[in-house]
Amino acid sequence: MNLGIRQLETFRLFARTQSVTETARLMRVSQPAVSQTLKELEAQLGFALFVRSNGRTRLTIEANNVLPDVERLFAQMATLRGKAEELKDMRAGALSIASVPSFTARILPTALGAFRAERSQVRLRLEVYTASDVVRQIRQEYCDIGFAFMPLDEAGVAVQPLLRMSMVCLVPVGHPLASKPIITAGDLENETIIVHGAQTTPGFVLRESLRTEVESFQILTTNQSVASLHMVQCGMGIAFAHPLVLPFDPLGQVVAVPYERDVPLTFAMLYSRNRPVSRLVLQFEAILRKSITAFCHELKGKGLTCEVLV
């Protein structure tokens, strides 16, 4: 059986009008064309669609039984057409994101808010992971895009650098070092220093850049930059961290002071190499760029290093 949409559309209109003449008028075809189409459909189905009695036409029992399915099919097609138009205009669809926690304080929520204001029908999903889990989510294509620090070396995962910044010293307000324009290694000799563990990207970069200093410090370690900020807020020490965590300090309990030696960090967007980048992702990236630019401008106003890379 090879039913055609045109055949089913003719049958659907004929069922409503009970008239070949009216069906032909609505479809803007000739009456013989309608009659021929109905005959072809009857041959495909294997039963008659209508009978004539006392000069009137009525549907057969079999035709009445299949009519609800035909109506349902056309309703589904209308839904499909509407969804296709929404996707064409990027009004609908879905965008799933995996991110490290520190990116969820300011830049990412701001961008998501602006994106949703323009594309209110898009289904958004944001999940927060460690950096290694973000990479795994992208590699296994559970999420469309991810956000984490470089360097990353993972087959199947493409990297788009977003911004470059320098690690800073997070100092409690009121601490003698909080008013210094730059902190030196000598300033930290008698301080408790909070750093990322070596298994994290910021921790690895820090140790590669400041191997001698790090080995001489009295150190507390953590695997999350947000945790290091909270430890500073509680007066546990001074943290080497990246500026992305600063929005987690809305009350201004911590001061970010540059360190004498530059420890650069690059933050990036990740996506799968095995599938094309969707139009929704490109649209979101354009909005994200504005959010990143605003954040970098704010950091530079505080005398901190930040560079937009997109």
Side-chain angles (χ1 to χ4, degrees):
M1 185 182 298
N2 186 20
L3 302 179
I5 295 298
R6 189 66 171 175
Q7 290 175 326
L8 294 177
E9 184 180 18
T10 302
F11 167 60
R12 179 167 171 254
L13 284 175
F14 177 76
R16 293 179 176 181
T17 64
Q18 303 283 301
S19 166
V20 171
T21 302
E22 183 63 11
T23 301
R25 186 187 69 81
L26 293 173
M27 298 190 70
R28 297 184 179 181
V29 297
S30 66
Q31 295 182 40
V34 170
S35 299
Q36 181 61 32
T37 299
L38 291 174
K39 288 180 181 179
E40 292 172 356
L41 182 58
E42 288 179 328
Q44 287 280 336
L45 295 173
F47 53 77
L49 295 174
F50 60 93
V51 294
R52 290 187 177 87
S53 177
N54 298 323
R56 300 188 61 181
T57 301
R58 60 182 178 84
L59 297 182
T60 63
I61 294 175
E62 293 82 1
N64 278 306
N65 283 336
V66 300
L67 183 58
D69 292 320
V70 173
E71 293 287 2
R72 192 176 302 114
L73 173 62
F74 277 90
Q76 292 171 342
M77 289 178 60
T79 300
L80 177 60
R81 282 193 294 268
K83 184 171 292 186
E85 287 298 318
E86 288 181 345
L87 290 172
K88 178 181 177 182
D89 296 335
M90 293 186 291
R91 294 195 303 267
L95 180 63
S96 55
I97 300 171
S99 175
V100 293
S102 54
F103 200 49
T104 65
R106 172 79 60 77
I107 298 177
L108 187 54
T110 301
L112 287 172
F115 181 72
R116 185 162 178 77
E118 293 186 10
R119 300 286 181 260
S120 61
Q121 299 304 311
V122 174
R123 299 187 306 277
L124 295 174
R125 176 168 60 92
L126 170 61
E127 298 187 352
V128 180
Y129 300 97
T130 62
S132 59
D133 284 337
V134 169
V135 173
R136 182 166 57 250
Q137 290 290 312
I138 300 304
R139 184 183 67 243
Q140 297 177 348
E141 299 185 10
Y142 293 147
C143 290
D144 298 310
I145 52 176
F147 297 98
F149 283 100
M150 296 174 62
L152 295 166
D153 185 16
E154 182 69 36
V157 176
V159 178
Q160 168 63 61
L162 297 177
L163 71 158
R164 184 180 294 115
M165 67 202 88
S166 294
M167 295 189 76
V168 296
C169 294
L170 301 182
V171 185
V173 168
H175 190 284
L177 296 180
S179 59
K180 294 199 65 173
I182 295 177
I183 290 178
T184 67
D187 295 328
L188 300 176
E189 285 182 358
N190 299 316
E191 302 289 342
T192 298
I193 307 303
I194 304 163
V195 298
H196 292 70
Q199 76 279 10
T200 68
T201 300
F204 171 78
V205 172
L206 181 68
R207 283 164 174 77
E208 287 294 303
S209 300
L210 307 177
R211 188 179 301 276
T212 303
E213 290 97 319
V214 170
E215 290 175 353
S216 66
F217 291 151
Q218 180 182 348
I219 284 179
L220 299 177
T221 62
T222 178
N223 69 334
Q224 289 292 341
S225 54
V226 176
S228 68
L229 172 72
H230 294 328
M231 293 165 79
V232 174
Q233 289 172 330
C234 292
M236 293 181 64
I238 294 174
F240 276 106
H242 53 77
L244 286 180
V245 299
L246 293 177
F248 285 101
D249 181 45
L251 300 180
Q253 297 172 272
V254 169
V255 177
V257 183
Y259 188 62
E260 63 175 336
R261 291 178 58 186
D262 186 40
V263 183
L265 278 175
T266 301
F267 197 73
M269 182 175 74
L270 319 180
Y271 55 93
S272 173
R273 292 185 184 276
N274 300 321
R275 62 180 180 182
V277 178
S278 71
R279 296 174 66 194
L280 277 179
V281 168
L282 294 176
Q283 173 71 20
F284 177 69
E285 184 182 352
I287 292 175
L288 180 65
R289 188 181 302 116
K290 297 178 182 178
S291 186
I292 290 172
T293 301
F295 183 75
C296 274
H297 181 75
E298 180 181 334
L299 290 186
K300 289 178 180 179
K302 297 178 180 180
L304 302 179
T305 301
C306 188
E307 179 185 359
V308 178
L309 302 178
V310 290

